[in-house]
Amino acid sequence: MIETPYLLFLGDAPDMLAAKVAIGIRDWRPDHAVGQIRLPGCGADLGLTEMTLAEAKAAGAKTLVIGVANRGGLISAAWKEVLIQALEMGYDLASGLHNLLRDEGDLVAAAQTYGGTLHDVRVPTVGYPIANGVKRRGKRCLAVGTDCSVGKMYTALAMDAEMQERGMKSTFRATGQTGILITGHGVPLDAVVADFMAGSVEYLTPDNDDDHWDLIEGQGSLFHISYSGVTMALVHGGQADALILCHEPTRAHMRGLPDYSVPSLEELRDVALPLALRANADCKVVGISVNTQHLTEEDAVAYLSEVEARMGIPAVDPYRHGAGRLVDALAAI
Amino acid sequence: MIETPYLLFLGDAPDMLAAKVAIGIRDWRPDHAVGQIRLPGCGADLGLTEMTLAEAKAAGAKTLVIGVANRGGLISAAWKEVLIQALEMGYDLASGLHNLLRDEGDLVAAAQTYGGTLHDVRVPTVGYPIANGVKRRGKRCLAVGTDCSVGKMYTALAMDAEMQERGMKSTFRATGQTGILITGHGVPLDAVVADFMAGSVEYLTPDNDDDHWDLIEGQGSLFHISYSGVTMALVHGGQADALILCHEPTRAHMRGLPDYSVPSLEELRDVALPLALRANADCKVVGISVNTQHLTEEDAVAYLSEVEARMGIPAVDPYRHGAGRLVDALAAI
């Protein structure tokens, strides 16, 4: 559990693309960010209040979050001055970088001296159990994709936001580093040891009120041969009542696998649903989320209505048109 | 890679059930074992030559293998004397116990002093890559089960032995601790970090001669919600040309999951084959291996012939009747 609110560290990020984590926090948990702090030459700007460490501290910030990914995941020397100063001032640090805060001797020393915590969200900190498959109370929705990086996290976050707005009971359940930094907690599933993957998903989505929905962030794809085992653990550990199929219609091949074609939404449905039924006999495919960012508005609308007619369930781009119809579909279960 | 030959340490095993690892080595790699060494009160006997550490050393033994699993996976004080003495005499130690050799200070100290290696085969020692899905040369056969512990390792070992006898090119590829101790190498798949599971299977089964078969040890089951992600990584990382379906017909429910029924062989085929085709479009289900240990000979023969007639592919119990017909089926591909 990472203490909020945050000050978002953008470092010397060359552009907005490098600030994906910070953008996610700003967009989905604006209350978690008191402001931003940047180094000279930073090309990213979230439009948040520019603050010094002292100003943010005075505004209540508890954790300095590294909101930027640089090439190779390194913690550069230029950053160190700010990070160590933050620890001296009583901040915790949180990072999803490949290189770990805990492997930097000077940060470890400063954290010990000043009593701060170093959160490396890529690394599991819990001894997860082996999954027991016992039926849990409450409801769960899992986003599954035809490929990796098609908008599964965005879909779950957008549905959660819509449900909150409607006064429904819901919780976004993060399974990746960006999601964990956005919400302050979750399971870094791709770093969990094989035997405990499904158990970590059960741990993440425990018993809850009968009318409460967990919106579980998906990972990988059942069709992506590099990561399909991780997805399988989500399907079985998640015990989903509802699946949302996620798709990006312009992709030429599976991400990182030039020899593998992207399956159709029908193929995804026909593989994912029987597997999900093993863990929850009532599971249904309730909606489709399409990432239409590479289509014009006209083409996007045409594509969505064609898919919806073909598959008989709501098909929307939650970024373009909101997640309302997906939430309607959940509420109708 | 564990150095052979071994001396098999049976410790104070109460019975033969506790000596599963040693039995596996004796049965499948008899050339790997120069003899056995036991403590007072040991209730297990492999029928191998009883040897002191010195006698086995003189007979060429390089590694003392802990061939026994005791309750809780502990390395007991009673064992320590022999283990430390073995290190002093120049042995390496190998263990698949839950508690690690490397966590025992006295063993670590002795290994450092005398230059021995401590092999904890439960722990990966390789930085496995992320799977790339590139088509590899050579052929691969994977055993998949309706449940865990239905005879997948035994099936692959029996097929490998039969192929060796016929002069065919084959290699058993271990993916669990017992298999690794039997053969001296492999991947402890259930201990690999999620993102690298499929990559570790690719690493284990690299390019080979066009007429060479890898017999890949299966793990878990696509229908076992605790471990299905591990199985999925084998199906996609293994790029199998052939699947063998493994089954134990008397099981009342999935192992450790009283609320989950065991699927039929048809259900296993219909789930496993489409998933395997994603990684290898030529994959075929070629045979069925049934563990009939709880059936009489008459019932076993009747069951096998009924399954074979129903499914249209050879159905055998390789323990009872040999793996010949499964190998015939592979050779016919």
Side-chain angles (χ1 to χ4, degrees):
Chain A
M1 197 80 172
I2 304 169
E3 273 206 274
T4 55
Y6 305 150
L7 174 62
L8 301 181
F9 178 71
L10 301 182
D12 43 9
D15 52 36
M16 286 296 275
L17 271 180
K20 179 180 156 192
V21 168
I23 293 169
I25 295 168
R26 178 199 63 186
D27 289 352
W28 296 108
R29 293 293 182 274
D31 295 349
H32 281 193
V34 302
Q36 65 185 26
I37 182 169
R38 308 190 296 161
L39 293 177
C42 184
D45 183 356
L46 298 181
L48 299 178
T49 312
E50 205 83 39
M51 287 185 171
T52 64
L53 288 172
E55 288 165 349
K57 193 78 193 158
K62 307 279 190 210
T63 303
L64 183 71
V65 171
I66 298 182
V68 56
N70 54 7
R71 200 170 287 275
L74 293 174
I75 298 160
S76 72
W79 295 7
K80 279 288 180 66
E81 200 183 320
V82 180
L83 301 185
I84 289 172
Q85 210 183 327
L87 287 166
E88 287 171 3
M89 295 174 63
Y91 280 91
D92 293 337
L93 302 185
S95 161
L97 294 178
H98 185 77
N99 286 36
L100 304 181
L101 299 171
R102 72 182 63 173
D103 289 340
E104 304 290 317
D106 44 4
L107 297 182
V108 171
Q112 278 170 351
T113 304
Y114 301 100
T117 301
L118 305 179
H119 295 283
D120 287 303
V121 302
R122 270 183 191 262
V123 182
T125 50
V126 174
Y128 300 113
I130 286 177
N132 63 26
V134 173
K135 177 76 181 156
R136 308 194 287 292
R137 288 182 53 229
K139 292 185 177 295
R140 285 154 199 88
C141 173
L142 174 67
V144 293
T146 51
D147 193 4
C148 301
S149 306
V150 293
K152 297 186 297 294
M153 182 183 80
Y154 190 99
T155 299
L157 281 163
M159 291 176 70
D160 177 49
E162 172 75 16
M163 293 171 89
Q164 292 292 314
E165 217 170 281
R166 294 189 190 183
M168 296 171 71
K169 294 182 192 166
S170 71
T171 311
F172 169 76
R173 299 296 188 183
T175 60
Q177 45 158 334
T178 305
I180 295 171
L181 286 171
I182 290 174
T183 60
H185 49 88
V187 166
L189 188 57
D190 61 10
V192 172
V193 164
D195 251 2
F196 305 99
M197 293 186 300
S200 76
V201 179
E202 290 188 350
Y203 169 96
L204 181 69
T205 59
D207 273 323
N208 216 316
D209 294 345
D210 289 334
D211 57 347
H212 177 278
W213 280 94
D214 278 332
L215 285 314
I216 308 174
E217 180 189 358
Q219 292 295 330
S221 165
L222 292 167
F223 289 84
H224 196 295
I225 60 94
S226 310
Y227 307 114
S228 53
V230 182
T231 315
M232 186 70 145
L234 277 161
V235 168
H236 280 169
Q239 225 173 68
D241 299 272
L243 297 177
I244 303 286
L245 309 180
C246 299
H247 188 52
E248 203 282 65
T250 69
R251 202 161 285 185
H253 59 73
M254 295 295 281
R255 191 173 162 89
L257 303 175
D259 297 339
Y260 289 79
S261 62
V262 178
S264 68
L265 281 159
E266 284 88 342
E267 287 175 277
L268 174 60
R269 176 194 63 199
D270 294 345
V271 164
L273 184 59
L275 294 174
L277 288 169
R278 179 77 181 160
N280 185 340
D282 296 324
C283 184
K284 290 181 179 59
V285 176
V286 300
I288 296 162
S289 174
V290 181
N291 177 343
T292 63
Q293 65 176 314
H294 298 302
L295 301 181
T296 63
E297 174 70 18
E298 193 186 354
D299 287 349
V301 169
Y303 181 83
L304 290 166
S305 86
E306 184 267 319
V307 167
E308 183 158 329
R310 214 174 71 206
M311 308 216 20
I313 47 177
V316 303
D317 181 336
Y319 186 81
R320 254 186 155 123
H321 310 121
R325 296 186 60 228
L326 296 178
V327 171
D328 292 345
L330 267 202
I333 283 189
Chain B
M1 195 81 174
I2 304 169
E3 272 205 276
T4 56
Y6 305 150
L7 174 62
L8 301 181
F9 178 72
L10 301 182
D12 43 9
D15 52 35
M16 286 297 275
L17 271 180
K20 178 180 156 193
V21 168
I23 294 170
I25 295 169
R26 179 200 62 186
D27 289 353
W28 296 109
R29 294 291 184 273
D31 296 349
H32 281 193
V34 302
Q36 66 184 26
I37 182 168
R38 306 190 298 160
L39 292 176
C42 183
D45 183 356
L46 298 181
L48 299 178
T49 312
E50 206 82 40
M51 287 185 173
T52 64
L53 289 171
E55 287 165 349
K57 193 79 192 160
K62 308 279 191 209
T63 305
L64 184 71
V65 172
I66 298 181
V68 57
N70 53 7
R71 201 171 286 273
L74 293 173
I75 297 159
S76 73
W79 294 7
K80 281 286 182 68
E81 199 183 319
V82 180
L83 301 185
I84 290 172
Q85 209 183 329
L87 288 166
E88 286 172 3
M89 294 174 62
Y91 281 90
D92 292 338
L93 301 184
S95 161
L97 295 178
H98 186 75
N99 287 34
L100 304 182
L101 299 172
R102 72 182 62 171
D103 289 340
E104 303 292 317
D106 44 4
L107 298 181
V108 171
Q112 278 170 350
T113 305
Y114 301 101
T117 302
L118 304 178
H119 295 284
D120 288 302
V121 302
R122 270 184 192 263
V123 184
T125 51
V126 173
Y128 300 113
I130 286 177
N132 63 26
V134 173
K135 176 76 182 156
R136 307 194 287 292
R137 288 182 54 229
K139 290 187 177 296
R140 285 155 200 87
C141 172
L142 174 66
V144 293
T146 50
D147 192 4
C148 301
S149 307
V150 293
K152 298 186 296 296
M153 183 183 78
Y154 191 99
T155 300
L157 280 163
M159 291 177 71
D160 177 48
E162 172 74 17
M163 292 171 89
Q164 292 290 316
E165 217 169 282
R166 294 189 189 182
M168 296 170 72
K169 294 182 192 166
S170 71
T171 310
F172 170 75
R173 300 296 189 183
T175 61
Q177 44 157 335
T178 305
I180 295 171
L181 285 171
I182 290 175
T183 60
H185 50 88
V187 166
L189 188 57
D190 60 11
V192 172
V193 163
D195 251 2
F196 304 99
M197 293 186 300
S200 76
V201 180
E202 291 188 348
Y203 169 94
L204 181 69
T205 59
D207 274 324
N208 216 316
D209 294 345
D210 289 333
D211 56 348
H212 177 277
W213 280 93
D214 277 333
L215 285 313
I216 308 174
E217 181 189 357
Q219 292 295 330
S221 164
L222 292 167
F223 288 82
H224 196 295
I225 60 92
S226 310
Y227 308 115
S228 53
V230 181
T231 315
M232 186 71 145
L234 276 161
V235 168
H236 280 168
Q239 225 172 66
D241 300 272
L243 297 178
I244 303 286
L245 310 180
C246 299
H247 188 52
E248 204 282 67
T250 69
R251 202 161 285 186
H253 59 74
M254 296 295 280
R255 191 174 162 89
L257 303 176
D259 297 338
Y260 289 79
S261 63
V262 178
S264 67
L265 282 159
E266 284 88 343
E267 287 174 276
L268 174 61
R269 176 194 62 200
D270 294 346
V271 164
L273 184 59
L275 294 174
L277 288 169
R278 178 76 182 160
N280 184 340
D282 296 324
C283 185
K284 290 180 179 59
V285 176
V286 300
I288 296 162
S289 174
V290 181
N291 178 343
T292 63
Q293 65 176 315
H294 298 303
L295 301 182
T296 64
E297 173 70 18
E298 194 186 352
D299 287 350
V301 168
Y303 181 83
L304 289 167
S305 86
E306 185 267 318
V307 168
E308 183 158 330
R310 212 174 73 206
M311 311 228 0
I313 47 176
V316 303
D317 181 339
Y319 185 82
R320 252 185 157 124
H321 308 121
R325 295 184 61 229
L326 296 178
V327 171
D328 292 345
L330 268 200
I333 282 188

